[in-house]
Amino acid sequence: MSLSRRNFVIATSVAAGGSMVLSACSSGGGGGGGTSGGGGAAGADKFASVSIGTAKDSTGPAPEIPGAKKGGTIRPIGPQDFSHLDPQRIYYSWNSELGNLYIRCLTGYRIDGGAMKLVGDLATDTGTMSDGGKTWTFTLKDGLKWEDGSELTVEDVRHGIERGFANFTTEGATYLQAALTGTNDFRSVYKGPYDGKHLDSVVTDAAKKTITFHLRTARPDLNWTLAMQSYGAVSAKHDTKEKYDKDPFSCGPYRLKAHSVDKSLTMVRNPHWDPATDPIRNAYPDTFAFEFGPEGLQSTDRLIADSGTDQYAVMAYSGVPAERIQKVLSTPELKSRTIDGLLTGLYYYAINCRRITDVRVRQALNYAWPLQQIRTIYGGPSAGDYATTVLGPDMAGRVKFDVYGKLTKPQGDTAKAKALLKEAGKLGQKIVYTYPQGGSDAYEKTKVVIANALKEAGFDPVIKPVEATSYYDQVQQIDNSFDVMWFGWSPDWPTGYTMLQPLFDGRTIANGSNNVSQLKASWVDAAIDKAAALTDPTRSNAAWAALDKELMEKEAPIIPETYQRRFYLYGSKVGGVEYDPLNSSFVLYKLFAKS
């Protein structure tokens, strides 16, 4: 699988204290505990409560928000522009949140109080599975239209799927492409729709409005996969190939009006969107006016001041930084204008299993790691919760465990680590630790406490930072020279597959692989295959949870660090505020402008 752009393997803009970049929610923790921290719209840490809706749940319109009214402008402020607008090139969370305004997929998530329900978006329901997960059929709703008023058809859905094979859409998700062709090298099988050919494995029936997927690889969770914007519908008539990234065609409640790269982007109403077809989206503002450039501290200070048009502003994917977090949380008026939530994914340290082959050494690293000191640098409990598992508290079926006693001794147990090293005959073992240099001042501080803990535990630490812009290129090389690497990952949907398979499937090891630990264990690969094939969600979730614990007990391929928390401020005249548990941002389509 490709590097998760939507779920972002921790970009170089990371900063301590709640402004870290990854993706979505949760609660829990220990050794100091977490904090909800929020005000009027406290973090909705309910990703794991996501359920699968019925056909009735899939009908529109979306439930009205009390007190909401139409009109006005909402003004998101963020440090960076959107990297892609083309559905098939979208993977990064913030791009996905914007995509919700103009892209529609076969399925999607209805969010209510943080709880999420998978429902039919373009489809009448969440699909019909047969043949043990190898065949899926969806039926389109009536009344679906594009921004020019033309009908949205099953051929448009197929076209969106097929253009994900094109050579210019390499940034998007690849789950479906691999399942349809039976190989990760799917472009060797099919190169997209532009030569007039269609995939034999995708069958449409215009009269019945059905689209059927015949998979080479069983995917009992395909209905979750198809909620990703990477599989959004695209009108073949309006497909401008590479240029589509600059001017996408809308089937959602808003359309693109203007875009000044790295400065601003304006979305206005799409008059042909029919709310009766949409169970997910409200569309209260007339306009969304995005401003790009201000960093977290600058946008925070503007929202604290709450003057002029900033009263209608929200922080766009850059949370309250450490310099302001205590002021915001200790001032009732400001705290009442925040939302917060844990990010869905996990920040961790990958242990290079190719270099550190003795599991006792990897276990010793887990015991020694100074989580408490690291989180203090990040900003304390408000920065997030200690991590002890691969699956976060927000994942379906996740079982909490603490193999290395990090919740009772978050400062690290260097004595136990040293005893393990001695048993293994590895006292004085050199450990080369790396992190992205220039990504955050926090890294420069955490390297000191990490080195001190490793020395105390009997290791010989060597710190080798890598310049942030080339960091991932280097640590994702098979022959890299690092023993422990700062990393992170977040799921594409709330089941164990999208956490455990990308990170620990030994068959994916290659330059650029997300199995940065380079764990190659046949029993793990077999367990992944077995869990992925289970069609019963309860059994599947239990299998992923069991694999999570076994991995940490038997292989110790990573050192879990934290489930990070993000805080956002919004202006006093913004209503409908809710935290998106999947994209760890405001739910844009629920916001409204107050009088």
Side-chain angles (χ1 to χ4, degrees):
M1 297 179 193
S2 63
L3 187 69
S4 178
R5 304 299 182 192
R6 183 184 65 77
N7 296 306
F8 212 31
V9 191
I10 331 303
T12 57
S13 59
V14 172
S19 59
M20 296 202 170
V21 180
L22 209 151
S23 174
C25 62
S26 185
S27 61
T35 175
S36 64
D45 301 335
K46 300 178 180 178
F47 198 33
S49 66
V50 66
S51 57
I52 297 178
T54 63
K56 183 178 180 181
D57 294 323
S58 304
T59 60
E64 291 290 331
I65 297 173
K69 66 181 187 67
K70 287 191 174 182
T73 299
I74 293 296
R75 301 179 178 277
I77 303 171
Q80 297 174 333
D81 199 345
F82 300 99
S83 54
H84 292 290
L85 303 180
D86 183 326
Q88 277 68 59
R89 300 179 70 178
I90 287 178
Y91 209 157
Y92 175 35
S93 295
W94 185 230
N95 295 347
S96 296
E97 192 61 48
L98 176 73
N100 282 330
L101 299 182
Y102 66 94
I103 299 168
R104 295 184 67 180
C105 304
L106 285 171
T107 60
Y109 298 96
R110 196 172 78 185
I111 300 173
D112 183 17
M116 297 172 62
K117 181 174 287 188
L118 186 75
V119 298
D121 185 1
L122 294 175
T124 56
D125 55 25
T126 58
T128 301
M129 179 183 70
S130 58
D131 192 22
K134 284 189 174 182
T135 302
W136 281 87
T137 299
F138 298 84
T139 303
L140 255 60
K141 296 172 181 174
D142 295 326
L144 300 170
K145 294 181 179 181
W146 291 102
E147 64 177 76
D148 64 350
S150 61
E151 182 185 5
L152 189 156
T153 67
V154 286
E155 285 77 14
D156 296 327
V157 176
R158 177 176 63 185
H159 187 72
I161 300 297
E162 291 180 338
R163 69 194 300 276
F165 287 78
N167 61 10
F168 63 87
T169 59
T170 57
E171 299 87 351
T174 62
Y175 297 106
L176 180 57
Q177 296 93 311
L180 286 168
T181 60
T183 175
N184 286 324
D185 186 22
F186 50 84
R187 288 186 176 88
S188 67
V189 178
Y190 180 70
K191 300 184 185 301
Y194 300 108
D195 60 359
K197 296 179 181 178
H198 294 300
L199 275 167
D200 293 338
S201 51
V202 180
V203 178
T204 60
D205 186 323
K208 295 181 179 179
K209 291 191 171 186
T210 59
I211 182 167
T212 300
F213 301 94
H214 296 283
L215 309 179
R216 295 288 186 90
T217 305
R219 292 309 307 267
D221 54 359
L222 187 72
N223 47 356
W224 301 95
T225 309
L226 293 172
M228 300 178 70
Q229 271 81 8
S230 293
Y231 303 115
V234 173
S235 167
K237 179 182 176 181
H238 294 93
D239 184 357
T240 53
K241 299 183 180 179
E242 290 91 341
K243 294 179 181 178
Y244 199 75
D245 205 28
K246 304 297 182 185
D247 190 17
F249 207 59
S250 175
C251 58
Y254 294 89
R255 62 178 178 83
L256 180 67
K257 179 181 180 182
H259 187 193
S260 178
V261 176
D262 294 329
K263 294 181 180 179
S264 63
L265 182 146
T266 303
M267 304 290 291
V268 296
R269 290 189 185 281
N270 169 16
H272 295 289
W273 169 75
D274 184 355
T277 70
D278 197 329
I280 295 170
R281 302 163 185 84
N282 302 104
Y284 296 115
D286 290 331
T287 306
F288 282 91
F290 293 84
E291 176 188 350
F292 308 121
E295 296 291 341
L297 191 59
Q298 182 182 354
S299 59
T300 298
D301 287 343
R302 282 173 56 179
L303 281 158
I304 287 173
D306 193 42
S307 63
T309 57
D310 284 347
Q311 292 178 310
Y312 297 95
V314 298
M315 299 184 81
Y317 224 64
S318 178
V320 178
E323 297 94 324
R324 294 290 184 272
I325 192 69
Q326 293 309 316
K327 177 178 181 178
V328 168
L329 296 184
S330 63
T331 306
E333 190 276 331
L334 296 178
K335 185 177 179 181
S336 71
R337 291 195 284 115
T338 65
I339 57 169
D340 73 277
L342 293 187
L343 311 187
T344 52
L346 171 71
Y347 287 80
Y348 67 93
Y349 302 85
I351 302 174
N352 192 329
C353 298
R354 182 180 61 86
R355 290 168 57 91
I356 308 296
T357 57
D358 192 322
V359 70
R360 291 170 294 181
V361 177
R362 303 200 295 262
Q363 291 169 336
L365 285 166
N366 269 276
Y367 280 116
W369 217 257
L371 295 189
Q372 186 177 72
Q373 298 90 313
I374 290 169
R375 191 177 72 167
T376 297
I377 291 168
Y378 287 170
S382 64
D385 297 345
Y386 297 128
T388 61
T389 62
V390 179
L391 302 181
D394 42 23
M395 298 297 288
R398 182 256 196 179
V399 174
K400 183 177 179 180
F401 60 82
D402 184 17
V403 173
Y404 300 101
K406 306 308 288 190
L407 300 182
T408 53
K409 283 192 174 182
Q411 71 275 20
D413 191 337
T414 54
K416 193 158 190 173
K418 197 167 189 175
L420 263 176
L421 275 187
K422 186 176 181 180
E423 176 188 314
K426 300 288 187 179
L427 279 174
Q429 165 107 29
K430 183 171 76 171
I431 296 294
V432 181
Y433 166 64
T434 189
Y435 61 90
Q437 190 171 46
S440 169
D441 289 342
Y443 301 153
E444 304 303 325
K445 297 175 181 177
T446 57
K447 74 178 182 184
V448 176
V449 299
I450 289 169
N452 289 341
L454 291 179
K455 288 176 185 175
E456 189 174 316
F459 291 101
D460 175 18
V462 177
I463 310 299
K464 284 189 177 181
V466 172
E467 199 276 323
T469 56
S470 64
Y471 180 75
Y472 298 106
D473 290 336
Q474 293 199 40
V475 300
Q476 290 180 294
Q477 294 297 305
I478 292 177
D479 62 352
N480 74 66
S481 58
F482 311 114
D483 297 315
V484 180
M485 299 154 281
W486 190 86
F487 211 69
W489 188 255
S490 179
D492 290 313
W493 57 88
T495 68
Y497 179 85
T498 60
M499 284 296 290
L500 297 172
Q501 191 277 337
L503 301 185
F504 305 115
D505 189 331
R507 297 159 294 188
T508 67
I509 294 174
N511 289 335
S513 169
N514 294 307
N515 185 349
V516 177
S517 300
Q518 297 191 50
L519 177 68
K520 191 172 183 64
S522 58
W523 76 267
V524 174
D525 298 345
I528 287 171
D529 290 344
K530 184 177 180 180
L534 293 172
T535 57
D536 178 75
T538 301
R539 291 181 60 205
S540 176
N541 292 337
W544 292 121
L547 177 56
D548 185 7
K549 188 174 183 181
E550 279 191 282
L551 266 169
M552 291 306 299
E553 288 176 336
K554 296 179 180 179
E555 303 292 346
I558 69 168
I559 306 162
E561 184 202 79
T562 47
Y563 311 117
Q564 289 288 340
R565 182 170 293 276
R566 183 177 293 153
F567 289 82
Y568 292 113
L569 266 171
Y570 57 93
S572 60
K573 292 189 176 180
V574 177
V577 174
E578 189 161 351
Y579 185 85
D580 187 330
L582 183 64
N583 292 325
S584 50
S585 65
F586 287 92
V587 182
L588 291 177
Y589 54 76
K590 285 178 172 282
L591 299 175
F592 65 89
K594 297 179 181 178
S595 301

